[in-house]
mmCIF file of all heavy atoms in Angstrom:
data_model
loop_
_atom_site.group_PDB
_atom_site.id
_atom_site.type_symbol
_atom_site.label_atom_id
_atom_site.label_comp_id
_atom_site.label_asym_id
_atom_site.label_seq_id
_atom_site.Cartn_x
_atom_site.Cartn_y
_atom_site.Cartn_z
ATOM 1 N N LEU A 134 -111.207 -45.327 159.763
ATOM 2 C CA LEU A 134 -111.796 -45.900 158.552
ATOM 3 C C LEU A 134 -113.279 -45.721 158.521
ATOM 4 O O LEU A 134 -113.892 -45.346 157.513
ATOM 5 C CB LEU A 134 -111.463 -47.415 158.543
ATOM 6 C CG LEU A 134 -111.793 -48.157 157.241
ATOM 7 C CD1 LEU A 134 -110.955 -47.649 156.068
ATOM 8 C CD2 LEU A 134 -111.556 -49.681 157.428
ATOM 9 N N ALA A 138 -115.317 -43.340 155.772
ATOM 10 C CA ALA A 138 -116.314 -44.047 154.969
ATOM 11 C C ALA A 138 -117.697 -43.460 155.129
ATOM 12 O O ALA A 138 -118.440 -43.260 154.149
ATOM 13 C CB ALA A 138 -116.334 -45.543 155.371
ATOM 14 N N VAL A 141 -117.850 -40.017 153.223
ATOM 15 C CA VAL A 141 -117.965 -40.043 151.741
ATOM 16 C C VAL A 141 -119.154 -40.925 151.320
ATOM 17 O O VAL A 141 -119.339 -41.190 150.128
ATOM 18 C CB VAL A 141 -116.686 -40.550 151.072
ATOM 19 C CG1 VAL A 141 -115.520 -39.607 151.390
ATOM 20 C CG2 VAL A 141 -116.344 -41.969 151.512
ATOM 21 N N ALA A 143 -119.760 -44.142 151.806
ATOM 22 C CA ALA A 143 -119.470 -45.472 151.352
ATOM 23 C C ALA A 143 -120.255 -46.461 152.222
ATOM 24 O O ALA A 143 -120.535 -46.153 153.414
ATOM 25 C CB ALA A 143 -117.984 -45.805 151.457
ATOM 26 N N ASP A 144 -120.631 -47.613 151.678
ATOM 27 C CA ASP A 144 -121.372 -48.615 152.452
ATOM 28 C C ASP A 144 -120.425 -49.585 153.152
ATOM 29 O O ASP A 144 -120.815 -50.221 154.150
ATOM 30 C CB ASP A 144 -122.282 -49.394 151.494
ATOM 31 C CG ASP A 144 -123.361 -48.508 150.875
ATOM 32 O OD1 ASP A 144 -123.953 -47.723 151.645
ATOM 33 O OD2 ASP A 144 -123.599 -48.594 149.678
ATOM 34 N N ARG A 145 -119.245 -49.700 152.606
ATOM 35 C CA ARG A 145 -118.272 -50.636 153.189
ATOM 36 C C ARG A 145 -116.888 -50.077 152.930
ATOM 37 O O ARG A 145 -116.612 -49.501 151.883
ATOM 38 C CB ARG A 145 -118.453 -51.991 152.538
ATOM 39 C CG ARG A 145 -117.716 -53.150 153.246
ATOM 40 C CD ARG A 145 -117.759 -54.434 152.425
ATOM 41 N NE ARG A 145 -119.114 -55.031 152.341
ATOM 42 C CZ ARG A 145 -119.744 -55.270 151.257
ATOM 43 N NH1 ARG A 145 -119.229 -55.013 150.102
ATOM 44 N NH2 ARG A 145 -120.951 -55.821 151.268
ATOM 45 N N ALA A 146 -115.997 -50.300 153.872
ATOM 46 C CA ALA A 146 -114.626 -49.803 153.707
ATOM 47 C C ALA A 146 -113.641 -50.903 154.192
ATOM 48 O O ALA A 146 -113.896 -51.540 155.202
ATOM 49 C CB ALA A 146 -114.399 -48.541 154.457
ATOM 50 N N TYR A 147 -112.595 -51.086 153.438
ATOM 51 C CA TYR A 147 -111.565 -52.085 153.785
ATOM 52 C C TYR A 147 -110.179 -51.525 153.832
ATOM 53 O O TYR A 147 -109.901 -50.529 153.155
ATOM 54 C CB TYR A 147 -111.477 -53.184 152.713
ATOM 55 C CG TYR A 147 -112.742 -53.945 152.378
ATOM 56 C CD1 TYR A 147 -113.288 -53.892 151.108
ATOM 57 C CD2 TYR A 147 -113.392 -54.754 153.332
ATOM 58 C CE1 TYR A 147 -114.448 -54.591 150.776
ATOM 59 C CE2 TYR A 147 -114.523 -55.469 153.044
ATOM 60 C CZ TYR A 147 -115.046 -55.394 151.738
ATOM 61 O OH TYR A 147 -116.154 -56.116 151.413
ATOM 62 N N ILE A 148 -109.292 -52.203 154.535
ATOM 63 C CA ILE A 148 -107.871 -52.040 154.379
ATOM 64 C C ILE A 148 -107.275 -53.409 154.082
ATOM 65 O O ILE A 148 -107.554 -54.362 154.809
ATOM 66 C CB ILE A 148 -107.203 -51.455 155.618
ATOM 67 C CG1 ILE A 148 -107.734 -50.000 155.883
ATOM 68 C CG2 ILE A 148 -105.658 -51.392 155.469
ATOM 69 C CD1 ILE A 148 -107.144 -49.378 157.137
ATOM 70 N N PHE A 149 -106.526 -53.519 152.984
ATOM 71 C CA PHE A 149 -105.905 -54.737 152.581
ATOM 72 C C PHE A 149 -104.410 -54.658 152.697
ATOM 73 O O PHE A 149 -103.807 -53.612 152.405
ATOM 74 C CB PHE A 149 -106.270 -55.063 151.112
ATOM 75 C CG PHE A 149 -107.597 -55.621 150.892
ATOM 76 C CD1 PHE A 149 -108.719 -54.816 150.741
ATOM 77 C CD2 PHE A 149 -107.771 -57.014 150.822
ATOM 78 C CE1 PHE A 149 -109.956 -55.312 150.522
ATOM 79 C CE2 PHE A 149 -109.057 -57.547 150.615
ATOM 80 C CZ PHE A 149 -110.141 -56.725 150.442
ATOM 81 N N CYS A 158 -103.622 -60.778 148.470
ATOM 82 C CA CYS A 158 -103.972 -59.697 149.404
ATOM 83 C C CYS A 158 -104.878 -60.230 150.504
ATOM 84 O O CYS A 158 -105.598 -61.229 150.301
ATOM 85 C CB CYS A 158 -104.604 -58.530 148.675
ATOM 86 S SG CYS A 158 -106.124 -58.935 147.755
ATOM 87 N N ASN A 160 -107.587 -59.017 153.717
ATOM 88 C CA ASN A 160 -108.376 -57.947 154.368
ATOM 89 C C ASN A 160 -108.034 -57.868 155.896
ATOM 90 O O ASN A 160 -108.257 -58.820 156.569
ATOM 91 C CB ASN A 160 -109.884 -58.185 154.182
ATOM 92 C CG ASN A 160 -110.761 -57.108 154.665
ATOM 93 O OD1 ASN A 160 -111.948 -57.292 154.775
ATOM 94 N ND2 ASN A 160 -110.213 -55.967 154.956
ATOM 95 N N HIS A 162 -108.691 -54.905 157.934
ATOM 96 C CA HIS A 162 -109.665 -54.058 158.660
ATOM 97 C C HIS A 162 -110.906 -53.887 157.771
ATOM 98 O O HIS A 162 -110.791 -53.771 156.573
ATOM 99 C CB HIS A 162 -109.073 -52.718 158.976
ATOM 100 C CG HIS A 162 -107.828 -52.739 159.813
ATOM 101 N ND1 HIS A 162 -106.601 -53.027 159.272
ATOM 102 C CD2 HIS A 162 -107.605 -52.525 161.134
ATOM 103 C CE1 HIS A 162 -105.684 -53.061 160.240
ATOM 104 N NE2 HIS A 162 -106.274 -52.715 161.361
ATOM 105 N N GLU A 163 -112.054 -53.867 158.416
ATOM 106 C CA GLU A 163 -113.291 -53.688 157.649
ATOM 107 C C GLU A 163 -114.274 -52.876 158.481
ATOM 108 O O GLU A 163 -114.385 -52.993 159.705
ATOM 109 C CB GLU A 163 -113.931 -55.030 157.361
ATOM 110 C CG GLU A 163 -115.216 -54.972 156.574
ATOM 111 C CD GLU A 163 -115.962 -56.284 156.543
ATOM 112 O OE1 GLU A 163 -116.265 -56.852 157.643
ATOM 113 O OE2 GLU A 163 -116.266 -56.786 155.414
ATOM 114 N N TRP A 164 -114.981 -51.976 157.772
ATOM 115 C CA TRP A 164 -116.118 -51.299 158.384
ATOM 116 C C TRP A 164 -117.331 -51.462 157.460
ATOM 117 O O TRP A 164 -117.172 -51.303 156.217
ATOM 118 C CB TRP A 164 -115.902 -49.778 158.578
ATOM 119 C CG TRP A 164 -117.114 -49.081 159.008
ATOM 120 C CD1 TRP A 164 -117.631 -49.012 160.292
ATOM 121 C CD2 TRP A 164 -118.083 -48.413 158.177
ATOM 122 N NE1 TRP A 164 -118.810 -48.302 160.309
ATOM 123 C CE2 TRP A 164 -119.109 -47.920 159.010
ATOM 124 C CE3 TRP A 164 -118.142 -48.185 156.794
ATOM 125 C CZ2 TRP A 164 -120.197 -47.236 158.500
ATOM 126 C CZ3 TRP A 164 -119.236 -47.471 156.289
ATOM 127 C CH2 TRP A 164 -120.244 -47.008 157.132
ATOM 128 N N GLN A 172 -117.659 -58.900 154.740
ATOM 129 C CA GLN A 172 -116.969 -59.726 153.788
ATOM 130 C C GLN A 172 -115.538 -60.164 154.206
ATOM 131 O O GLN A 172 -114.893 -60.881 153.487
ATOM 132 C CB GLN A 172 -116.916 -59.050 152.422
ATOM 133 C CG GLN A 172 -118.218 -58.745 151.753
ATOM 134 C CD GLN A 172 -118.980 -59.979 151.351
ATOM 135 O OE1 GLN A 172 -118.399 -60.958 150.949
ATOM 136 N NE2 GLN A 172 -120.324 -59.968 151.451
ATOM 137 N N LEU A 176 -112.285 -62.634 152.417
ATOM 138 C CA LEU A 176 -111.201 -61.876 151.757
ATOM 139 C C LEU A 176 -109.864 -62.101 152.448
ATOM 140 O O LEU A 176 -109.120 -61.171 152.631
ATOM 141 C CB LEU A 176 -111.583 -60.379 151.728
ATOM 142 C CG LEU A 176 -112.900 -60.056 151.017
ATOM 143 C CD1 LEU A 176 -113.210 -58.600 151.176
ATOM 144 C CD2 LEU A 176 -112.811 -60.417 149.529
ATOM 145 N N ILE A 179 -106.471 -63.832 149.301
ATOM 146 C CA ILE A 179 -107.091 -64.058 147.973
ATOM 147 C C ILE A 179 -106.097 -63.630 146.890
ATOM 148 O O ILE A 179 -105.278 -62.755 147.075
ATOM 149 C CB ILE A 179 -108.408 -63.330 147.846
ATOM 150 C CG1 ILE A 179 -108.224 -61.809 147.974
ATOM 151 C CG2 ILE A 179 -109.429 -63.835 148.822
ATOM 152 C CD1 ILE A 179 -109.479 -61.006 147.672
ATOM 153 N N LEU A 185 -105.840 -55.004 138.688
ATOM 154 C CA LEU A 185 -105.698 -54.145 139.866
ATOM 155 C C LEU A 185 -104.217 -54.039 140.230
ATOM 156 O O LEU A 185 -103.746 -52.993 140.552
ATOM 157 C CB LEU A 185 -106.497 -54.732 141.007
ATOM 158 C CG LEU A 185 -106.383 -54.000 142.395
ATOM 159 C CD1 LEU A 185 -106.788 -52.537 142.254
ATOM 160 C CD2 LEU A 185 -107.205 -54.694 143.443
ATOM 161 N N VAL A 195 -107.881 -46.496 141.719
ATOM 162 C CA VAL A 195 -108.840 -47.042 140.799
ATOM 163 C C VAL A 195 -110.222 -46.513 141.209
ATOM 164 O O VAL A 195 -110.712 -46.822 142.307
ATOM 165 C CB VAL A 195 -108.827 -48.580 140.848
ATOM 166 C CG1 VAL A 195 -109.863 -49.173 139.874
ATOM 167 C CG2 VAL A 195 -107.423 -49.107 140.436
ATOM 168 N N ILE A 200 -119.617 -50.565 138.152
ATOM 169 C CA ILE A 200 -118.917 -51.834 137.942
ATOM 170 C C ILE A 200 -119.406 -52.517 136.705
ATOM 171 O O ILE A 200 -118.645 -53.176 135.923
ATOM 172 C CB ILE A 200 -119.104 -52.753 139.161
ATOM 173 C CG1 ILE A 200 -118.402 -52.222 140.390
ATOM 174 C CG2 ILE A 200 -118.635 -54.218 138.849
ATOM 175 C CD1 ILE A 200 -116.884 -52.229 140.227
ATOM 176 N N ALA A 208 -111.668 -59.626 138.416
ATOM 177 C CA ALA A 208 -112.295 -59.815 139.746
ATOM 178 C C ALA A 208 -113.790 -59.568 139.703
ATOM 179 O O ALA A 208 -114.390 -59.425 140.773
ATOM 180 C CB ALA A 208 -111.616 -58.868 140.752
ATOM 181 N N LEU A 211 -115.911 -61.767 142.000
ATOM 182 C CA LEU A 211 -115.746 -61.465 143.408
ATOM 183 C C LEU A 211 -116.478 -60.185 143.760
ATOM 184 O O LEU A 211 -117.110 -60.093 144.837
ATOM 185 C CB LEU A 211 -114.231 -61.341 143.731
ATOM 186 C CG LEU A 211 -113.875 -61.022 145.186
ATOM 187 C CD1 LEU A 211 -114.359 -62.153 146.074
ATOM 188 C CD2 LEU A 211 -112.349 -60.826 145.303
ATOM 189 N N LEU A 212 -116.422 -59.174 142.912
ATOM 190 C CA LEU A 212 -117.124 -57.906 143.149
ATOM 191 C C LEU A 212 -118.623 -58.077 143.241
ATOM 192 O O LEU A 212 -119.299 -57.518 144.069
ATOM 193 C CB LEU A 212 -116.714 -56.863 142.088
ATOM 194 C CG LEU A 212 -115.242 -56.453 142.035
ATOM 195 C CD1 LEU A 212 -115.002 -55.545 140.847
ATOM 196 C CD2 LEU A 212 -114.815 -55.774 143.301
ATOM 197 N N GLN A 215 -119.941 -59.533 146.337
ATOM 198 C CA GLN A 215 -120.065 -58.603 147.417
ATOM 199 C C GLN A 215 -121.089 -57.497 147.158
ATOM 200 O O GLN A 215 -121.223 -56.554 147.933
ATOM 201 C CB GLN A 215 -118.670 -57.896 147.635
ATOM 202 C CG GLN A 215 -117.575 -58.879 147.982
ATOM 203 C CD GLN A 215 -116.222 -58.189 148.018
ATOM 204 O OE1 GLN A 215 -115.958 -57.389 148.879
ATOM 205 N NE2 GLN A 215 -115.358 -58.498 147.053
ATOM 206 N N ILE A 217 -121.123 -55.182 144.994
ATOM 207 C CA ILE A 217 -120.551 -53.843 144.812
ATOM 208 C C ILE A 217 -121.033 -53.223 143.519
ATOM 209 O O ILE A 217 -120.985 -53.852 142.443
ATOM 210 C CB ILE A 217 -118.998 -53.964 144.793
ATOM 211 C CG1 ILE A 217 -118.502 -54.432 146.138
ATOM 212 C CG2 ILE A 217 -118.350 -52.594 144.451
ATOM 213 C CD1 ILE A 217 -117.028 -54.749 146.128
ATOM 214 N N SER A 219 -120.200 -49.606 142.935
ATOM 215 C CA SER A 219 -119.131 -48.611 142.650
ATOM 216 C C SER A 219 -118.030 -48.808 143.700
ATOM 217 O O SER A 219 -118.297 -49.273 144.788
ATOM 218 C CB SER A 219 -119.674 -47.155 142.771
ATOM 219 O OG SER A 219 -120.810 -46.970 141.969
ATOM 220 N N LEU A 220 -116.845 -48.413 143.287
ATOM 221 C CA LEU A 220 -115.730 -48.544 144.270
ATOM 222 C C LEU A 220 -114.635 -47.560 144.000
ATOM 223 O O LEU A 220 -114.467 -47.054 142.882
ATOM 224 C CB LEU A 220 -115.186 -49.981 144.290
ATOM 225 C CG LEU A 220 -114.556 -50.581 143.056
ATOM 226 C CD1 LEU A 220 -113.115 -50.076 142.859
ATOM 227 C CD2 LEU A 220 -114.519 -52.107 143.163
ATOM 228 N N LEU A 221 -113.879 -47.294 145.023
ATOM 229 C CA LEU A 221 -112.663 -46.481 144.928
ATOM 230 C C LEU A 221 -111.559 -47.243 145.642
ATOM 231 O O LEU A 221 -111.724 -47.646 146.821
ATOM 232 C CB LEU A 221 -112.863 -45.127 145.543
ATOM 233 C CG LEU A 221 -111.593 -44.274 145.700
ATOM 234 C CD1 LEU A 221 -110.977 -43.925 144.329
ATOM 235 C CD2 LEU A 221 -111.898 -42.953 146.452
ATOM 236 N N ILE A 222 -110.452 -47.500 144.951
ATOM 237 C CA ILE A 222 -109.336 -48.202 145.569
ATOM 238 C C ILE A 222 -108.123 -47.265 145.576
ATOM 239 O O ILE A 222 -107.778 -46.746 144.489
ATOM 240 C CB ILE A 222 -108.998 -49.523 144.819
ATOM 241 C CG1 ILE A 222 -110.153 -50.496 144.938
ATOM 242 C CG2 ILE A 222 -107.710 -50.157 145.350
ATOM 243 C CD1 ILE A 222 -109.962 -51.782 144.132
ATOM 244 N N VAL A 223 -107.540 -47.123 146.724
ATOM 245 C CA VAL A 223 -106.358 -46.222 146.855
ATOM 246 C C VAL A 223 -105.186 -47.021 147.339
ATOM 247 O O VAL A 223 -105.258 -47.649 148.390
ATOM 248 C CB VAL A 223 -106.702 -45.087 147.882
ATOM 249 C CG1 VAL A 223 -105.496 -44.191 148.063
ATOM 250 C CG2 VAL A 223 -107.876 -44.288 147.411
ATOM 251 N N PRO A 224 -104.046 -46.988 146.612
ATOM 252 C CA PRO A 224 -102.872 -47.800 147.046
ATOM 253 C C PRO A 224 -102.204 -47.195 148.238
ATOM 254 O O PRO A 224 -102.216 -45.969 148.453
ATOM 255 C CB PRO A 224 -101.981 -47.744 145.791
ATOM 256 C CG PRO A 224 -102.330 -46.458 145.139
ATOM 257 C CD PRO A 224 -103.770 -46.268 145.367
ATOM 258 N N MET A 225 -101.573 -48.029 149.039
ATOM 259 C CA MET A 225 -100.722 -47.585 150.133
ATOM 260 C C MET A 225 -99.277 -47.842 149.725
ATOM 261 O O MET A 225 -98.872 -49.000 149.616
ATOM 262 C CB MET A 225 -101.091 -48.355 151.422
ATOM 263 C CG MET A 225 -102.488 -48.077 151.891
ATOM 264 S SD MET A 225 -102.826 -48.671 153.587
ATOM 265 C CE MET A 225 -102.546 -50.426 153.426
ATOM 266 N N GLY A 233 -100.214 -52.395 150.257
ATOM 267 C CA GLY A 233 -101.611 -52.661 150.538
ATOM 268 C C GLY A 233 -102.483 -51.616 149.837
ATOM 269 O O GLY A 233 -102.002 -50.806 149.082
ATOM 270 N N PHE A 234 -103.784 -51.666 150.129
ATOM 271 C CA PHE A 234 -104.654 -50.613 149.538
ATOM 272 C C PHE A 234 -105.890 -50.488 150.450
ATOM 273 O O PHE A 234 -106.210 -51.319 151.262
ATOM 274 C CB PHE A 234 -105.075 -50.991 148.157
ATOM 275 C CG PHE A 234 -105.757 -52.333 147.974
ATOM 276 C CD1 PHE A 234 -107.168 -52.457 148.030
ATOM 277 C CD2 PHE A 234 -105.034 -53.467 147.713
ATOM 278 C CE1 PHE A 234 -107.781 -53.662 147.834
ATOM 279 C CE2 PHE A 234 -105.623 -54.716 147.529
ATOM 280 C CZ PHE A 234 -107.024 -54.818 147.610
ATOM 281 N N ILE A 235 -106.538 -49.334 150.246
ATOM 282 C CA ILE A 235 -107.790 -49.015 150.981
ATOM 283 C C ILE A 235 -108.929 -49.018 149.924
ATOM 284 O O ILE A 235 -108.749 -48.461 148.876
ATOM 285 C CB ILE A 235 -107.700 -47.645 151.673
ATOM 286 C CG1 ILE A 235 -106.548 -47.684 152.686
ATOM 287 C CG2 ILE A 235 -109.007 -47.346 152.430
ATOM 288 C CD1 ILE A 235 -106.250 -46.301 153.276
ATOM 289 N N GLU A 236 -109.988 -49.655 150.294
ATOM 290 C CA GLU A 236 -111.094 -49.736 149.326
ATOM 291 C C GLU A 236 -112.392 -49.243 149.961
ATOM 292 O O GLU A 236 -112.681 -49.558 151.092
ATOM 293 C CB GLU A 236 -111.303 -51.185 148.894
ATOM 294 C CG GLU A 236 -112.446 -51.376 147.913
ATOM 295 C CD GLU A 236 -112.544 -52.840 147.417
ATOM 296 O OE1 GLU A 236 -111.522 -53.581 147.485
ATOM 297 O OE2 GLU A 236 -113.640 -53.237 147.037
ATOM 298 N N PHE A 237 -113.126 -48.436 149.205
ATOM 299 C CA PHE A 237 -114.436 -47.896 149.619
ATOM 300 C C PHE A 237 -115.439 -48.446 148.619
ATOM 301 O O PHE A 237 -115.314 -48.213 147.418
ATOM 302 C CB PHE A 237 -114.452 -46.387 149.639
ATOM 303 C CG PHE A 237 -113.546 -45.780 150.668
ATOM 304 C CD1 PHE A 237 -112.191 -45.600 150.398
ATOM 305 C CD2 PHE A 237 -114.026 -45.438 151.918
ATOM 306 C CE1 PHE A 237 -111.346 -45.041 151.368
ATOM 307 C CE2 PHE A 237 -113.179 -44.886 152.874
ATOM 308 C CZ PHE A 237 -111.843 -44.689 152.595
ATOM 309 N N ASP A 238 -116.442 -49.156 149.131
ATOM 310 C CA ASP A 238 -117.503 -49.767 148.267
ATOM 311 C C ASP A 238 -118.811 -49.066 148.448
ATOM 312 O O ASP A 238 -119.189 -48.647 149.514
ATOM 313 C CB ASP A 238 -117.650 -51.252 148.639
ATOM 314 C CG ASP A 238 -116.446 -52.092 148.332
ATOM 315 O OD1 ASP A 238 -115.577 -51.613 147.594
ATOM 316 O OD2 ASP A 238 -116.356 -53.199 148.883
ATOM 317 N N SER A 239 -119.528 -48.989 147.294
ATOM 318 C CA SER A 239 -120.947 -48.590 147.341
ATOM 319 C C SER A 239 -121.783 -49.759 146.950
ATOM 320 O O SER A 239 -121.583 -50.340 145.862
ATOM 321 C CB SER A 239 -121.158 -47.386 146.378
ATOM 322 O OG SER A 239 -120.432 -46.256 146.800
ATOM 323 N N VAL A 240 -122.661 -50.132 147.855
ATOM 324 C CA VAL A 240 -123.484 -51.362 147.623
ATOM 325 C C VAL A 240 -124.948 -51.060 147.340
ATOM 326 O O VAL A 240 -125.576 -51.647 146.458
ATOM 327 C CB VAL A 240 -123.348 -52.281 148.823
ATOM 328 C CG1 VAL A 240 -124.284 -53.489 148.707
ATOM 329 C CG2 VAL A 240 -121.894 -52.691 149.064
ATOM 330 N N TYR A 246 -117.112 -40.867 143.147
ATOM 331 C CA TYR A 246 -116.169 -40.170 144.038
ATOM 332 C C TYR A 246 -115.512 -39.046 143.245
ATOM 333 O O TYR A 246 -114.974 -39.264 142.164
ATOM 334 C CB TYR A 246 -115.104 -41.137 144.563
ATOM 335 C CG TYR A 246 -115.648 -42.158 145.511
ATOM 336 C CD1 TYR A 246 -116.019 -43.399 145.061
ATOM 337 C CD2 TYR A 246 -115.801 -41.880 146.865
ATOM 338 C CE1 TYR A 246 -116.537 -44.378 145.902
ATOM 339 C CE2 TYR A 246 -116.288 -42.819 147.789
ATOM 340 C CZ TYR A 246 -116.668 -44.074 147.266
ATOM 341 O OH TYR A 246 -117.178 -45.017 148.142
ATOM 342 N N LEU A 254 -108.523 -38.910 150.091
ATOM 343 C CA LEU A 254 -108.431 -40.299 150.536
ATOM 344 C C LEU A 254 -107.018 -40.868 150.287
ATOM 345 O O LEU A 254 -106.562 -41.745 151.051
ATOM 346 C CB LEU A 254 -109.503 -41.109 149.815
ATOM 347 C CG LEU A 254 -110.939 -40.783 150.230
ATOM 348 C CD1 LEU A 254 -111.948 -41.628 149.379
ATOM 349 C CD2 LEU A 254 -111.225 -41.035 151.660
ATOM 350 N N PHE A 257 -105.102 -39.911 153.221
ATOM 351 C CA PHE A 257 -105.410 -40.819 154.278
ATOM 352 C C PHE A 257 -104.609 -42.139 154.138
ATOM 353 O O PHE A 257 -104.125 -42.685 155.115
ATOM 354 C CB PHE A 257 -106.899 -41.167 154.311
ATOM 355 C CG PHE A 257 -107.277 -42.241 155.302
ATOM 356 C CD1 PHE A 257 -107.142 -42.043 156.650
ATOM 357 C CD2 PHE A 257 -107.756 -43.491 154.831
ATOM 358 C CE1 PHE A 257 -107.500 -43.045 157.554
ATOM 359 C CE2 PHE A 257 -108.116 -44.456 155.742
ATOM 360 C CZ PHE A 257 -107.979 -44.241 157.095
ATOM 361 N N ALA A 258 -104.402 -42.604 152.896
ATOM 362 C CA ALA A 258 -103.614 -43.786 152.636
ATOM 363 C C ALA A 258 -102.178 -43.572 153.074
ATOM 364 O O ALA A 258 -101.520 -44.451 153.667
ATOM 365 C CB ALA A 258 -103.689 -44.165 151.168
#
Side-chain angles (χ1 to χ4, degrees):
L134 189 64
V141 299
D144 295 315
R145 192 188 290 124
Y147 303 118
I148 295 178
F149 281 86
C158 58
N160 187 192
H162 301 79
E163 178 192 58
W164 172 83
Q172 297 293 327
L176 301 174
I179 60 173
L185 175 58
V195 179
I200 291 295
L211 181 62
L212 296 175
Q215 300 173 68
I217 296 173
S219 307
L220 62 78
L221 171 63
I222 296 176
V223 177
M225 296 192 300
F234 58 91
I235 302 172
E236 179 177 336
F237 294 84
D238 295 344
S239 296
V240 176
Y246 292 94
L254 292 176
F257 173 66

